[in-house]
Amino acid sequence: MAQRRLSEVAKKVGVSEATVSRVLNGKPGVSESTRQAVLTALDVLGYERPTQLRGERARLVGLVLPELQNPIFPALADVVGSALAQQGFTPVLCTCTGGVSEPDYVELLLAQHVSGVVFAGGSHAEEDSDHEHHYELVRRKLPVVLVNASIDLEYPVVSCDDAVAVEQAFGHLVALGHQRIGLVLGPRDHIPSRRKLAAFRQCAERIDLTVDERNVGHTLFSIEGGQAVGTRLVQNGVTGVICASDPLALGVIRAVRRLGKKTPEDVSVIGYDDSALMTCTDPPLTTVRQPIEAMGRAAVDLLTSLIAGTEVTMEELLFEPELVVRASAAPASRP
């Protein structure tokens, strides 16, 4: 290895160039933790390992997220990254924005000899997406864990219980006297959204509420998407709206205002996630909290068990959500 590369790796790890040289040449006298740190630094800096070391996987773990604009994803990245570091792994954050796709990231991660990958909220939750890169990881037997509901892949899955989330939100609106309740979901092929819709239908049966396009809408997970669907639902007379994400809920609140109405006086709105700053919105958002801390740590525990060769459950682990009552939902106004 060139002197400059030796120097870069030594600086990255905080050891001498001689120590780096001993690791790369397989010489004794170096602790296992230092040896692993040097190999990880090689991977992070983009240098190829010496031929005799290439059979070993790096202690890198990919964390693949669809985006970081929704605050729930940075929160998850923080939990997963910290849990990985505590177990001696280095997280590699991959966000599918700027024209870089999930398959692109998978190719990159494989080239970096990662030990495993955590996918959250990506194409595994979209039935109509291309899943060939997931099947390739299955064929390679690379340890992978998915966060939130998925198509049928041979991976462990950690999810928040979508049905319970809707039941909590729906029950809260009914207790407040709402009968004309609506639902704003993600795309039609989004599996967590499908689960929420199924639960909504069951809840609606109990109060003889008809479920159709007048009170249910699918859109992209964004404030703009929430505003577009929210406008239609409010114009159709809906007085309480359950949303599949907090940004969707903020979009619905914006729609209510643009229509000359108020939240919660005219239209109550409930979000989903309890992401950062939802206590600071106007009004503070009533939402269903995903237990991100517990879910993220469970995902890392499953992944590190897989990496260690320990058998883990392939049954989906469902985590209980929690309704967080704030000011965006109130008793229904009398007609």
Side-chain angles (χ1 to χ4, degrees):
M1 174 180 284
Q3 191 66 33
R4 181 176 64 82
R5 294 182 181 180
L6 272 177
S7 175
E8 285 186 31
V9 174
K11 183 178 179 182
K12 182 83 172 175
V13 180
V15 298
S16 68
E17 293 179 20
T19 297
V20 174
S21 181
R22 281 198 293 273
V23 171
L24 299 181
N25 290 299
K27 298 292 178 65
V30 181
S31 70
E32 180 59 23
S33 60
T34 298
R35 181 175 173 276
Q36 290 295 342
V38 168
L39 295 177
T40 298
L42 276 176
D43 298 319
V44 170
L45 293 170
Y47 295 139
E48 285 193 9
R49 297 182 178 203
T51 304
Q52 71 272 19
L53 299 177
R54 288 179 193 169
E56 298 186 25
R57 288 204 179 277
R59 290 184 69 80
L60 300 174
V61 169
L63 173 57
V64 184
L65 304 174
E67 41 110 350
L68 293 177
Q69 289 185 324
N70 184 336
I72 200 65
F73 291 120
L76 179 65
D78 185 48
V79 173
V80 171
S82 297
L84 286 170
Q86 288 170 6
Q87 301 208 37
F89 292 91
T90 300
V92 180
L93 180 61
C94 305
T95 55
C96 300
T97 53
V100 184
S101 67
E102 264 193 18
D104 293 334
Y105 275 125
V106 167
E107 185 177 344
L108 172 66
L109 293 171
L110 289 173
Q112 292 295 319
H113 307 284
V114 293
S115 298
V117 185
V118 175
F119 290 92
S123 65
H124 67 271
E126 301 165 351
E127 191 170 64
D128 297 340
S129 291
D130 178 13
H131 300 109
E132 179 54 35
H133 57 293
H134 287 300
Y135 297 132
E136 175 62 21
L137 293 178
V138 171
R139 288 190 289 268
R140 289 181 179 235
K141 299 187 179 345
L142 187 74
V144 171
V145 174
L146 307 176
V147 178
N148 278 337
S150 171
I151 63 165
D152 187 16
L153 294 164
E154 297 174 27
Y155 301 144
V157 181
V158 174
S159 299
C160 188
D161 195 322
D162 294 294
V164 171
V166 169
E167 288 166 5
Q168 290 178 348
F170 197 98
H172 185 57
L173 290 175
V174 170
L176 292 172
H178 293 273
Q179 294 291 308
R180 292 170 290 168
I181 300 172
L183 182 66
V184 182
L185 298 167
R188 293 181 185 278
D189 71 328
H190 184 243
I191 293 170
S193 292
R194 288 183 175 181
R195 291 182 173 184
K196 289 182 174 70
L197 178 57
F200 184 80
R201 290 185 187 280
Q202 290 183 345
C203 291
E205 286 181 9
R206 298 174 199 151
I207 64 169
D208 294 324
L209 173 68
T210 300
V211 178
D212 56 29
E213 69 280 356
R214 290 172 296 179
N215 58 2
V216 173
H218 293 269
T219 186
L220 298 176
F221 281 105
S222 66
I223 290 176
E224 293 75 17
Q227 181 180 349
V229 174
T231 298
R232 174 167 60 81
L233 267 55
V234 173
Q235 288 175 333
N236 289 338
V238 167
T239 65
V241 184
I242 301 169
C243 302
S245 76
D246 290 340
L248 286 175
L250 296 182
V252 172
I253 291 173
R254 181 195 284 177
V256 171
R257 287 180 177 158
R258 295 281 173 87
L259 291 170
K261 297 178 181 291
K262 294 181 179 180
T263 298
E265 291 86 350
D266 300 308
V267 181
S268 290
V269 180
I270 299 180
Y272 177 76
D273 283 336
D274 193 29
S275 46
L277 306 180
M278 292 306 107
T279 58
C280 305
T281 59
D282 182 21
L285 186 67
T286 294
T287 186
V288 180
R289 176 182 295 156
Q290 287 200 71
I292 288 298
E293 180 81 23
M295 291 169 61
R297 291 195 170 275
V300 171
D301 287 344
L302 284 168
L303 188 73
T304 53
S305 294
L306 286 172
I307 292 169
T310 305
E311 188 172 334
V312 302
T313 179
M314 291 295 173
E315 294 181 5
E316 183 178 14
L317 297 181
L318 286 176
F319 285 73
E320 190 87 357
E322 177 189 359
L323 180 70
V324 181
V325 177
R326 298 194 182 105
S328 66
S333 57
R334 295 185 181 277

